[in-house]
Each structure stands twice: as structure tokens, then as C-alpha cells.
Amino acid sequence: MSGRTERTQHRGRTEPQGKGERLADWADARVGLRAMAKANMRKIFPDHWSFMMGEVCLYSFLILILTGVYLTLFFEPSGAEVIYHGSYEPLNGVRMTRAYESTVNISMDVRGGLLIRQIHHWAAVVFVAGMLVHMMRVFFTGAFRKPREVNWLFGWTLLMLGLITGLTGYSLPDDLLSGTGIRFAQGAILSVPVVGTYLSFFLFGGEFPGHDIIPRLYPVHVLLLPGIMLGLVVAHLILVFYHKHTQFAGPGRTERNVVGAPFLPIYIAKAGGMFFLVFGVLTVMGAIASINPVWLMGPYRPDYVSTGAQPDWYLGFSEGLIRVMPGWEINAWGHTLQLGVFIPFSLFPLIMMAIAVYPFIEAWVTGDRREHHIAERPRNAPTRTALGVAWLSLYAVLLIGGGNDLWATRFHLSINSITWFVRIAFFVAPVVAFIVTRRFCQGLQLHDRELALHGRESGTVKRLPHGEFVEVHEPLTQAQLHKLTAHEQPPPFELGPLVDANGVQRSPRRSDRLRARLAHAMYGPGSQVPKATVEEYRAIDSGDQHHH
């Protein structure tokens, strides 16, 4: 039958088939959309407010692409020098590159240009911040465990690429601030032994600053890095859709089921609303909060350095490492090795790499090969939570180091005192944060144990027949008890007897010795408070009735 004469049965009568139905039938006949939609569109996903940070990352990335496409229509990635004659009077007659001139023109002359520029910059800041918070949520809840280790690596790679993309985009306007940042990066590259000079000459096309760096950064920023990141985002979302989010312990929730809402229409409706909410907030931020006003800083000149030059916050970690490092250097055989730059330049990726491989280290220490779909409360993994907080404290300390000049001028402090504070805190702060956080988690575990065994304090005081005053405790519901006791407490890996039954001494491998030490540090005695058991609860419940 032709499309004009087709009919569909609906409530006992025939009606003409709509255009949408005909389009759906056409697509289904060619790619099988109906079966795919039936299998996936009603898929159930758990719901929790913390999942929002991943969505903020996704929508910020989409907004970056949309605003970036608009900016590419007007930006000229050229290092050729011109004399400015435009609408911004304070810069008239000033020599600058075409890149800087086009950036000023976008801000001053292109309709909506300044708003789009600022939305783009704010979206980049929110994107990286969202990724960091999202990864910390995954880390603290143990959502990186099998089968999600690969997705953790995808997220970590996106974070690293986001840092590099932010640096390249930050450098394109060629203003005094971004030029200082490129000079900083070039100094770090020069510190690489043997090949540092060659790398610098290759990137800059000769002596710094040259005329090639901006045309080279441009395709990297608008094509190469976004293309790789887009592929990783798609792969990340496919795995999220396949594995689904982890769900927190609760009634009816196990490792083999999912309690939540269907993808269509619930999650689709939420996703649409969240996208426009994020877009609206970023638009308001771009409209009322100035960021990177390049016209005030002027064009970059190698003989100028802007006062209080600071990168975006997410690069302050690496800059803080270099700023507070002592100026050590080795001079030998006519060559100079700048340890004061090379060591922190190498330390930054090493610290980040430790985050990437942590899921595999924890799986090796525990020997756990099972799939995990129940998220852990951070308090129930004290050592892991303490490690995460220690890393965040290190990040915060180095951010202070990256802005030591601003701290000195704003708070009237000695910059030398700030530098020495950061040098000492680099080693002390993570240790203190680790100890305090671990003890705090153990205190929360102890509170949960007491709550599970004795119930919640009601505030009602009762006098017993023999004169004793006691407070009446209200028993918890089964759902509340399940939440407090559902987590696992794996025993630490043991080496076993070093002498067998025949008296022959066994020599364990070094890897097994290391695994045993790490396992005892993470899960051994004193690392966590034993959770309440059914036997303890029944013993107290039967022998201490007056407390309930």
C-alpha cells in the first residue's frame, strides 16, 4: 500500500498514519530501530543527586563545541604583526599579532562576540571543575571497581586532555597574560635533558616566541584535541549506558539488579532540562562575570611580564610545583640540567598517573575479581577516602604556591614565607589530611555501629524499678539497618605460614610481600571499625529490652 492509503488500527477504528510514524517505519525497515529502541529506551538507571556532576561535564563540553564553532568564524590564528586601528581607542597604533587583533575585534565589534567568548571560557572552567568533582565522586564511592576500570581510564584521559586543551585555548589570544603562560611552558620544555632545546625549536619554529606557535596551537585546539575528546566522551557514555551507574545500598538493591527510573521518558526529560539549565547558568556567568579581558592586558611582548600572572585554576597545580621548587641545577660537561624546573615538570604527570592506576592497584591488593554495582559510602573505605583527601589537600597547597604573589600582595605577607610554607606543607599537609580523614571515617563507622546495635536516641528518659535512669532508644527500620551494615569488610591478604608442614622454609615473592603490607595498611586491624553483626544485634536486643 502507498504511504497515502496506509491505515493503522487505533481504538477500534482506522486512522491515517502520521509523518512521524511513516518516518519511524522507514528507518526501522532499514536499520532495525524499533527492536533497538524496545531493548534500550526503557532501560532502568539508578538515580542519585551526585550523578549530576557527570551531566554538567557533558553539557559543558557540548557548549564548548557550540561556542567554539562560532568563535572560529572570526578568529585569525596568525602570528603576523599588524598595527591596530579599531574601535577600542586605547590600543590604536599599538603593534600586535593578528591573533590578538581578531580577539579584540571579537570582543568589541562582533555582535554577541564578547558574550560567546566569555561563555566559552566559563564553560571550559566548569568543564574541568565538573570532571574533577565527578572523578572524586567515583573515587570516594568505589565506582571505579570492576567492570568500570576502563571507563575510569577514559575519564582520567578526558581530564588530562581537558587540561591541555585549556592551555592551548588560553594561549591563542596572544595577550600579555597568555604569552607569559606560553613562556612558562617553553621554560619547562627547555628543562628536559638532551631533547628540551630541540623540542622547543620544533614547537616554536625557532627562537621564542617565533611566528609559528599560534598557527600550530590552533588546529590542535579546535580539531585534534576536541576530536579525541569527543570520541572518548562517546565511548564513556556507551560504557555508562551498558554498565549503568552504581547504586547505593538500599532495600531491594543487589549486585544483580537495578532500582531506578527508565531511560525514556524520565532520564531523557531530565537530561533536556539539565542541558538548558547548565546553558542558562553559563550564559548568566558570561554576561555578568568578566573573565580574561584581553583588551586590558595588551598584546604579548617578550620583554614584558604581566604582574600577578596566573593561569586558570586547573593549571595552578603544575605552576605551584615549579614556583616553590628550589632553584637547583647541575652544570657538567658544558651543559646545565635545571632540576628546579625539570623535577616538578616530571612530578605533575607522575602524581596524575597514580590516580589513573589506583583502581588496578586496589584490585591487586584485595584480589577481588567480582563485579561491583553497589556504591560504597566513603566512610566505609577509610584508607581510600583518606588517600583521596590527601591528594586534594596536596592540590590545594600547590594552588597556593601557584598564586604566591597574589597571596603576598592581597594579604600583605612575605612571599618567601608563603614559599617556605608551601614547601613544608607539600610533605606535611597530605600526611595530616590522611590521618585526620581516616580517623574521622572510623569515628563515623563507630557511630554507625552503635546506631545499628542500640538504635536512635529518642530523648525520652525512663526510670527503671530499681531507680536507674536510662534513655529510651528507638529501633531502626530494616531499611536503615541494611544501609548501615550492607558494606563488605574484606580480610587483608595474608602471606600464610613461611614454614610448611615438612619444616621447609618458603620464601614469598617480593610482589606478595608488598601486597600483604598494602593489604594490612588498607584493611588490617585498626584500619576500620568492625560493622555490627546479626548475632550482636540479637544479643543486645534480647538482653537489653529496656533500651528499646
Side-chain angles (χ1 to χ4, degrees), residues 188 191-193 321-322 341-352:
S191 70
V192 178
L321 279 169
I322 294 180
V341 178
F342 179 65
I343 290 178
F345 184 57
S346 306
L347 198 58
F348 173 71
L350 290 176
I351 294 174
M352 297 300 292

Side-chain angles (χ1 to χ4, degrees), residues 444-457:
L444 292 174
Q445 281 188 318
L446 184 60
H447 174 266
D448 288 348
R449 173 182 168 82
E450 294 297 319
L451 194 61
L453 292 177
H454 300 288
R456 181 175 288 106
E457 297 176 354

Side-chain angles (χ1 to χ4, degrees), residues 2 21 26 83 86 209 381:
S2 67
E21 292 177 286
W26 181 89
I83 303 297

